Amino acid sequence: HDSTKYQLMWRALDEYGRWSGELLSQHKDGTKVSAWITANAVHSKDGELTGYNFIFSDISERRMNEENMHHLMQHDNLTRLPNRAMFAEKFDEYLTQAKKAMGSLALINIKIDRFIEVNNGLGVRAGDEVISVVAQRLLKNIDAANDVVFRTGGVEFTVLMQDAGGREAVDQ
């Protein structure tokens, strides 16, 4: 954390005698952890400040679980592609960037035709394999620095292209 967070902590300890919050901490071996810290000023019977009492709780596992949950909420489980929820967020971001830079933006919707025949005829595993292969092929054919492939439905994908470079670039 930057020094601002620590300044706020010490200011709260000075003003209120207590503070709690999350900070990055470090074990003796150098391992960094997320820690929930509760700090209290300690005073003598005369009211003189004698020190501080800090309680550190390692919340790294909880933080990691929260990040994993967030990832699962925004990504498709089968393809690991960003999902419809993430699409809405990224579309707004890309649109704002395109307007500011007076650039271009392309949106391509792709649907796998006759997919039900694969699923019914060859089984769900074969259907999952088709979806995974389509996802991988789409990823191989985009500019990873500027474009994003989303799985926006069961057999639907959306490609969001930033700085599309006009219709000719999209047609390729």
Side-chain angles (χ1 to χ4, degrees):
H1 291 288
D2 59 45
S3 62
T4 305
K5 184 119 180 178
Y6 288 103
Q7 289 172 358
L8 292 172
M9 176 188 72
W10 286 110
R11 187 178 311 145
L13 282 169
D14 287 343
E15 289 182 28
Y16 307 109
R18 65 185 179 282
W19 179 87
S20 63
E22 185 177 344
L23 290 174
L24 290 178
S25 186
Q26 187 169 329
H27 287 294
K28 288 181 182 180
D29 68 0
T31 306
K32 294 188 184 209
V33 295
S34 292
W36 185 263
I37 299 173
T38 302
N40 292 294
V42 178
H43 296 88
S44 68
K45 290 182 182 180
D46 300 329
E48 186 179 327
L49 179 66
T50 58
Y52 298 93
N53 182 5
F54 287 86
I55 300 172
F56 292 79
S57 300
D58 184 344
I59 59 169
S60 298
E61 187 174 339
R62 184 181 95 196
R63 184 62 60 219
M64 186 175 67
N65 288 338
E66 288 172 357
E67 289 172 9
N68 285 341
M69 186 68 86
H70 186 301
H71 180 82
L72 289 172
M73 288 172 32
Q74 294 190 324
H75 290 80
D76 174 61
N77 197 35
L78 175 64
T79 63
R80 305 285 189 246
L81 292 175
N83 63 16
R84 184 183 302 270
M86 182 68 112
F87 170 75
E89 183 180 311
K90 283 290 184 188
F91 180 74
D92 288 342
E93 179 184 316
Y94 276 33
L95 188 58
T96 300
Q97 289 173 1
K99 285 179 181 177
K100 283 182 183 176
M102 296 181 66
S104 59
L105 181 68
L107 187 65
I108 303 169
N109 290 308
I110 301 160
K111 183 176 179 182
I112 302 172
D113 288 334
R114 297 172 42 194
F115 180 79
I116 195 87
E117 295 170 18
V118 173
N119 238 17
N120 289 344
L122 300 173
V124 174
R125 281 197 174 127
D128 286 351
E129 183 64 24
V130 168
I131 290 170
S132 296
V133 167
V134 169
Q136 291 307 309
R137 287 184 182 178
L138 288 171
L139 286 171
K140 285 180 184 177
N141 288 292
I142 64 165
D143 174 5
N146 293 311
D147 308 334
V148 183
V149 178
F150 301 86
R151 183 172 178 205
T152 50
V155 294
E156 296 172 14
F157 297 88
T158 301
V159 180
L160 187 55
M161 300 174 71
Q162 190 176 29
D163 296 324
R167 170 102 187 173
E168 300 81 33
V170 174
D171 287 339
Q172 291 178 9

